[in-house]
């Protein structure tokens, strides 16, 4: 359940990141189109790249938050599973009742 919630949250964050990157590219393209000098074009390109990098950093930050949130809400102890192991049948029965 928690991993499904984490996956859905990650997918939503990824979609948001893609929208932010697309917006940054569109703004960068508009700035480069309206630029009159090569310096203005370079500045537009640099702003576009920095906005893309910021969107990617935000994505990684939100994924880390989702993973931490899933770990905090987990009711399992580290190294333990929710289901008993089937490999050792003796652990499930009192001694002498195998």
């Amino acid at each position: 359940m928690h991993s499904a919630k984490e996956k859905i949250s990650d997918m939503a964050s990824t979609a948001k990141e893609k929208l932010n990157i697309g917006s940054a590219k569109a703004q960068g393209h508009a700035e480069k189109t309206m630029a009159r000098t090569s310096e203005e074009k370079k500045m537009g390109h640099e702003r576009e790249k920095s906005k893309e990098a910021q969107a990617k950093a935000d994505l990684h930050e939100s994924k880390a938050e989702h993973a931490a949130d899933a770990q905090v809400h987990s009711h399992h102890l580290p190294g333990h599973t929710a289901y008993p192991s089937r490999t050792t049948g003796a652990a499930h029965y009192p001694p002498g009742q195998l």
Side-chain angles (χ1 to χ4, degrees):
M1 176 73 172
H2 294 291
S3 64
K5 181 181 176 184
E6 183 181 354
K7 285 181 184 180
I8 291 172
S9 297
D10 286 347
M11 287 190 307
S13 296
T14 302
K16 184 177 178 183
E17 181 232 356
K18 288 186 180 200
L19 284 174
N20 288 341
I21 288 177
S23 173
K25 285 185 178 186
Q27 287 176 354
H29 183 67
E31 286 181 16
K32 287 187 274 186
T33 303
M34 294 171 49
R36 296 180 186 204
T37 64
S38 63
E39 289 83 23
E40 289 177 350
K41 288 182 181 183
K42 285 180 185 178
M43 289 175 55
H45 182 72
E46 291 299 321
R47 280 192 215 110
E48 176 184 345
K49 292 298 177 186
S50 80
K51 286 181 182 180
E52 286 181 37
Q54 182 63 40
K56 288 182 181 183
D58 291 343
L59 171 69
H60 291 295
E61 182 180 330
S62 64
K63 281 188 175 184
E65 288 174 5
H66 298 157
D69 187 42
Q71 190 174 22
V72 166
H73 293 295
S74 176
H75 298 289
H76 304 288
L77 295 174
H80 292 85
T81 61
Y83 302 103
S85 173
R86 298 277 180 188
T87 58
T88 57
H92 300 290
Y93 300 104
Q97 290 188 357
L98 282 175

